[in-house]
PDB file of all heavy atoms in Angstrom:
ATOM      1  N   ILE Y  22      53.087 -62.685 -46.673  1.00 88.00           N
ATOM      2  CA  ILE Y  22      54.369 -62.629 -47.324  1.00 88.00           C
ATOM      3  C   ILE Y  22      54.217 -62.175 -48.767  1.00 88.00           C
ATOM      4  O   ILE Y  22      55.080 -61.471 -49.314  1.00 88.00           O
ATOM      5  CB  ILE Y  22      55.068 -64.015 -47.270  1.00 88.00           C
ATOM      6  CG1 ILE Y  22      55.478 -64.347 -45.827  1.00 88.00           C
ATOM      7  CG2 ILE Y  22      56.288 -64.049 -48.170  1.00 88.00           C
ATOM      8  CD1 ILE Y  22      56.451 -63.392 -45.231  1.00 88.00           C
ATOM      9  N   GLN Y  62      52.964 -64.758 -58.494  1.00 83.00           N
ATOM     10  CA  GLN Y  62      53.816 -63.727 -59.063  1.00 83.00           C
ATOM     11  C   GLN Y  62      53.238 -63.101 -60.322  1.00 83.00           C
ATOM     12  O   GLN Y  62      53.494 -61.931 -60.627  1.00 83.00           O
ATOM     13  CB  GLN Y  62      55.209 -64.309 -59.371  1.00 83.00           C
ATOM     14  CG  GLN Y  62      56.055 -64.522 -58.144  1.00 83.00           C
ATOM     15  CD  GLN Y  62      56.398 -63.184 -57.472  1.00 83.00           C
ATOM     16  OE1 GLN Y  62      57.241 -62.435 -57.955  1.00 83.00           O
ATOM     17  NE2 GLN Y  62      55.738 -62.865 -56.382  1.00 83.00           N
ATOM     18  N   ALA Y  89      60.454 -65.594 -75.175  1.00 87.00           N
ATOM     19  CA  ALA Y  89      59.751 -66.201 -74.071  1.00 87.00           C
ATOM     20  C   ALA Y  89      58.820 -67.315 -74.580  1.00 87.00           C
ATOM     21  O   ALA Y  89      58.730 -68.381 -73.941  1.00 87.00           O
ATOM     22  CB  ALA Y  89      58.949 -65.152 -73.301  1.00 87.00           C
ATOM     23  N   PHE Y 148      61.716 -74.517 -64.291  1.00 68.00           N
ATOM     24  CA  PHE Y 148      62.347 -75.503 -63.402  1.00 68.00           C
ATOM     25  C   PHE Y 148      62.885 -74.874 -62.122  1.00 68.00           C
ATOM     26  O   PHE Y 148      62.877 -75.499 -61.066  1.00 68.00           O
ATOM     27  CB  PHE Y 148      63.513 -76.184 -64.130  1.00 68.00           C
ATOM     28  CG  PHE Y 148      63.151 -76.607 -65.529  1.00 68.00           C
ATOM     29  CD1 PHE Y 148      63.644 -75.934 -66.638  1.00 68.00           C
ATOM     30  CD2 PHE Y 148      62.284 -77.648 -65.757  1.00 68.00           C
ATOM     31  CE1 PHE Y 148      63.304 -76.316 -67.928  1.00 68.00           C
ATOM     32  CE2 PHE Y 148      61.913 -78.054 -67.035  1.00 68.00           C
ATOM     33  CZ  PHE Y 148      62.431 -77.368 -68.115  1.00 68.00           C
ATOM     34  N   VAL Y 156      66.385 -61.398 -64.945  1.00 80.00           N
ATOM     35  CA  VAL Y 156      65.668 -60.529 -65.888  1.00 80.00           C
ATOM     36  C   VAL Y 156      65.810 -59.063 -65.434  1.00 80.00           C
ATOM     37  O   VAL Y 156      66.021 -58.183 -66.255  1.00 80.00           O
ATOM     38  CB  VAL Y 156      64.176 -60.923 -65.965  1.00 80.00           C
ATOM     39  CG1 VAL Y 156      63.410 -59.967 -66.880  1.00 80.00           C
ATOM     40  CG2 VAL Y 156      64.029 -62.348 -66.487  1.00 80.00           C
ATOM     41  N   GLN Y 181      56.318 -63.979 -68.629  1.00 83.00           N
ATOM     42  CA  GLN Y 181      56.925 -65.267 -68.233  1.00 83.00           C
ATOM     43  C   GLN Y 181      55.972 -66.084 -67.391  1.00 83.00           C
ATOM     44  O   GLN Y 181      55.826 -67.271 -67.577  1.00 83.00           O
ATOM     45  CB  GLN Y 181      58.228 -65.020 -67.474  1.00 83.00           C
ATOM     46  CG  GLN Y 181      59.429 -64.806 -68.325  1.00 83.00           C
ATOM     47  CD  GLN Y 181      60.748 -65.059 -67.611  1.00 83.00           C
ATOM     48  OE1 GLN Y 181      60.781 -65.233 -66.396  1.00 83.00           O
ATOM     49  NE2 GLN Y 181      61.821 -65.072 -68.334  1.00 83.00           N
ATOM     50  N   LEU Y 235      72.328 -53.827 -54.610  1.00 79.00           N
ATOM     51  CA  LEU Y 235      72.518 -54.531 -53.339  1.00 79.00           C
ATOM     52  C   LEU Y 235      71.531 -55.683 -53.212  1.00 79.00           C
ATOM     53  O   LEU Y 235      71.916 -56.823 -52.835  1.00 79.00           O
ATOM     54  CB  LEU Y 235      72.345 -53.581 -52.153  1.00 79.00           C
ATOM     55  CG  LEU Y 235      72.450 -54.196 -50.761  1.00 79.00           C
ATOM     56  CD1 LEU Y 235      73.832 -54.823 -50.554  1.00 79.00           C
ATOM     57  CD2 LEU Y 235      72.184 -53.141 -49.684  1.00 79.00           C
ATOM     58  N   GLN Y 247      72.711 -71.704 -51.743  1.00 78.00           N
ATOM     59  CA  GLN Y 247      71.824 -72.836 -52.009  1.00 78.00           C
ATOM     60  C   GLN Y 247      72.524 -73.868 -52.887  1.00 78.00           C
ATOM     61  O   GLN Y 247      72.396 -75.073 -52.661  1.00 78.00           O
ATOM     62  CB  GLN Y 247      70.542 -72.383 -52.707  1.00 78.00           C
ATOM     63  CG  GLN Y 247      69.552 -71.680 -51.790  1.00 78.00           C
ATOM     64  CD  GLN Y 247      68.287 -71.303 -52.546  1.00 78.00           C
ATOM     65  OE1 GLN Y 247      68.334 -70.476 -53.470  1.00 78.00           O
ATOM     66  NE2 GLN Y 247      67.197 -71.925 -52.182  1.00 78.00           N
TER      67      GLN Y 247
END
Side-chain angles (χ1 to χ4, degrees):
I22 292 298
Q62 284 296 284
F148 314 107
V156 177
Q181 277 200 351
L235 177 61
Q247 284 182 295

